[in-house]
């Protein structure tokens, strides 16, 4: 692409915003002018891009006709979305607030063909980016019948506030000071919370419904049963997923391992070892897979462990790659 | 029981040993004389029982003919076990080292009938005590076809050393000092380790195989497929289990909730709320259950979350209750 594009990033000063600006630079995305936007009071806020400081502008007054592509990292009101649409911008949504019918959900290495003529795309939950990458690879050698996943999510999924709260609570406990939960509804330090988002009337949490729905959409298997529990873990960065798959046929382990080794987006950690969020995934563009093992009694069962950087790999990198797909000149 | 029994506890000074001595006292177990034993150098070691300090004696020189019942909290050599057998003692093993063929595995509230004429019993992994209590209850109203569990285990499962290491690593990280893993093979603070015990040649960790085997044995369903991942979590006390069940028929949620509410050993946390290891289970004799919800697509699927104190409920309390079953006078 020799052409360059003017771009707006809504929510540029958050954790994902920072990582997104870094990924745009690293991947030499053909950015002409970059506008860093945020909701609310932006006075004095600054975002760094290509070693320059950009003044953050308010979303409210921004004229979207000035840009070709908008990244949405925080939920926007319908009126704002209407302004972006009226301006004819391409859009990548990471806020999770855009309804499914407004834009397809895409993981760049899994279902890029879904982009088609779409001008707006949704980037899924970071855990879905990791899980879909692994399952799409495995689908080359096995047929999935059921997916059960316990997704232990990092507090950075709740932005800087999540990180600050885990650090603050941990220090309070180690120093025997009174614990004061603020962002999370109870003690997250040295504890696991049985959900990472609000629960809906049917008992499923919002993230769990989103994980199952987005995974089915990205894999093109909306009727695949997905049992998901999204746990909030006392981990700063990196999602860890314990996955159990039921397949239509007995699993051939050497074939599965070979298939995982061949996938350029995955890093399989050898049997006997295992990857972790902190030790392996942090800051990486790869999804880490390990502990690959068939069932103890059921040869059609396959279990594995996934670790992936939720901010970089699961959010910023996929968003930039979706932007590349949207701006690719037609053949 | 008006009779009293002399008792030996091997491993009396560990975390579980302390909790066991406390539970013996609280439940007014008919202890005559209590011998606190430990392997290795016991010079100067003391265990507290009924507000008295007991000198710890070496296992090696101990004459087991002096006691009626032995609790084994740390692995013993076959020669030691032979001495206990020769002395005609009843035995409760919590070490996990006693082979399955030597003694049935029992959870007091689930399969007490398995005690029969056995003189030796195995108390299972703490996570199995919790999981079997819940599944045995649910089996009153549904037929299990498959169990998938991610068991996030507390570091106290590794004894005092586990607790000291998590605290030390956390302090090192918060103070920006170099991290020095010792007991665990890598950073456990602010991280999740994909297994809690050594991996075997087939890729399953020892604890995972033990969990699946003991669960099947306690439930009397050795052929029930159990997919288990045992994760080492940065939590001091309390195991947290994310469980997904497949049942033979569609799940009737109100019936399931009612059944859980009726179980005296369980505490169901109301829908919309959820239990945690630290906030609910710690120091309690109940197993906490919450987030009970059928599948999103599959009505035969049932998901739930369990929190239980691994040291007290999962180890000490079950061991004492097994001791009670062993010493109960014949009808």
């Amino acid at each position: 692409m020799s052409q360059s594009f003017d771009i707006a990033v809504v929510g540029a000063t958050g954790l994902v915003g920072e990582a997104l600006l870094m990924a745009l630079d690293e991947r030499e995305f053909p950015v002409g002018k970059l506008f860093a936007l945020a909701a609310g009071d932006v006075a004095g806020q600054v975002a760094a891009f290509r070693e320059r400081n950009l003044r953050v502008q308010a979303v409210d007054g921004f004229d979207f006709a000035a840009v070709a592509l908008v990244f949405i990292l925080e939920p926007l009101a319908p009126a704002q979305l209407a302004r972006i649409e009226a301006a004819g911008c391409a859009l990548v949504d990471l806020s999770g607030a855009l309804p499914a019918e407004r834009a397809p959900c895409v993981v760049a290495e899994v279902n890029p063909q879904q982009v088609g003529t779409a001008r707006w795309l949704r980037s899924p939950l970071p855990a879905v980016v990791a899980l879909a990458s692994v399952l799409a690879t495995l689908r080359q050698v096995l047929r999935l019948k059921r997916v059960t996943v316990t997704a232990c999510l990092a507090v950075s999924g709740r932005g800087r506030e999540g990180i600050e709260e885990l650090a603050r609570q941990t220090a309070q406990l180690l120093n025997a000071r009174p614990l004061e939960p603020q962002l999370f509804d109870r003690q997250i330090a040295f504890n696991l919370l049985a959900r990472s988002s609000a629960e809906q009337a049917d008992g499923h949490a919002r993230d769990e419904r989103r994980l199952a729905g987005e995974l089915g959409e990205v894999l093109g298997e909306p009727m695949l049963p997905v049992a998901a529990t999204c746990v909030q873990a006392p981990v700063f960065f990196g999602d860890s997923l314990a996955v159990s798959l039921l397949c239509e046929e007995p699993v051939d382990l050497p074939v599965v391992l070979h298939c995982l080794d061949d996938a350029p987006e995955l890093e399989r950690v050898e049997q006997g070892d295992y990857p972790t969020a902190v030790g392996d995934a942090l800051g990486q563009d790869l999804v880490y897979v390990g502990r690959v093992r068939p069932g103890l009694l059921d040869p059609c069962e396959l279990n594995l462990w996934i670790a992936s950087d939720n901010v970089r790999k699961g959010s910023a990198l996929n968003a930039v790659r979706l932007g590349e797909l949207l701006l690719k000149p037609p053949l």
Side-chain angles (χ1 to χ4, degrees), chain A residues 70-325:
Chain A
V70 184
F71 291 98
I72 304 287
L73 313 188
E74 53 192 44
L76 284 185
Q80 306 277 30
L81 290 172
R83 289 205 301 126
I84 296 172
E85 193 169 24
C89 306
L91 180 150
V92 177
D93 180 70
L94 283 97
S95 75
L98 197 67
E101 61 273 16
R102 295 291 299 272
C105 189
V106 178
V107 174
E109 62 259 39
V110 176
N111 62 334
Q113 75 286 357
Q114 283 308 111
V115 176
T117 58
R119 300 276 296 146
W120 287 19
L121 301 176
R122 285 151 51 228
S123 185
L125 271 185
V128 172
V129 173
L131 186 52
S133 295
V134 174
L135 298 189
T137 300
L138 290 173
R139 247 192 338 189
Q140 297 167 14
V141 296
L142 46 80
R143 289 187 302 155
L144 297 174
K145 205 165 139 184
R146 174 179 294 274
V147 177
T148 304
V149 56
T150 304
C152 298
L153 306 181
V155 294
S156 50
R158 300 288 294 269
R160 259 191 216 96
E161 281 183 300
I163 290 184
E164 285 162 9
E165 172 126 350
L166 174 57
R168 188 172 47 73
Q169 284 194 16
T170 304
Q172 284 169 342
L173 288 169
L174 288 190
N175 294 297
R177 292 203 306 269
L179 191 78
E180 292 165 6
Q182 291 174 2
L183 179 67
F184 300 107
D185 62 355
R186 57 199 84 185
Q187 179 180 335
I188 176 70
F190 306 116
N191 201 12
L192 292 162
L193 309 188
R195 58 170 202 247
S196 59
S197 57
E199 200 168 307
Q200 300 175 320
D202 62 2
H204 293 273
R206 183 175 172 278
D207 277 355
E208 289 159 356
R209 186 173 280 282
R210 196 178 156 200
L211 187 153
E214 290 177 346
L215 184 65
E217 185 180 350
V218 169
L219 293 177
E221 298 194 45
M223 297 314 290
L224 179 69
V226 177
T229 301
C230 290
V231 178
Q232 187 72 67
V235 170
F236 289 111
F237 288 98
D239 293 341
S240 301
L241 284 67
V243 182
S244 187
L245 307 173
L246 265 191
C247 308
E248 296 284 354
E249 298 92 12
V251 172
D252 185 332
L253 186 61
V255 167
V256 162
L257 297 179
H258 189 77
C259 163
L260 291 169
D261 287 339
D262 276 356
E265 311 274 350
L266 306 182
E267 175 75 18
R268 184 174 73 83
V269 173
E270 66 186 28
Q271 305 289 85
D273 195 358
Y274 60 88
T276 73
V278 171
D280 298 276
L282 196 62
Q284 301 301 310
D285 292 346
L286 296 171
V287 172
Y288 288 77
V289 186
R291 303 230 46 226
V292 185
R293 59 203 195 277
L296 283 166
L297 291 177
D298 184 351
C300 298
E301 177 190 314
L302 183 69
N303 303 290
L304 45 91
W305 174 264
I306 299 172
S308 172
D309 187 323
N310 55 314
V311 172
R312 181 182 174 94
K313 169 66 179 174
S315 300
L317 179 63
N318 194 55
V320 171
R321 293 178 66 179
L322 297 193
E324 291 166 358
L325 289 169

Side-chain angles (χ1 to χ4, degrees), chain A residues 30-50:
Chain A
V31 180
K33 200 155 180 202
L34 190 141
F35 298 90
L37 308 181
D41 181 15
V42 294
Q45 288 192 45
V46 161
F49 181 62
R50 291 187 180 155

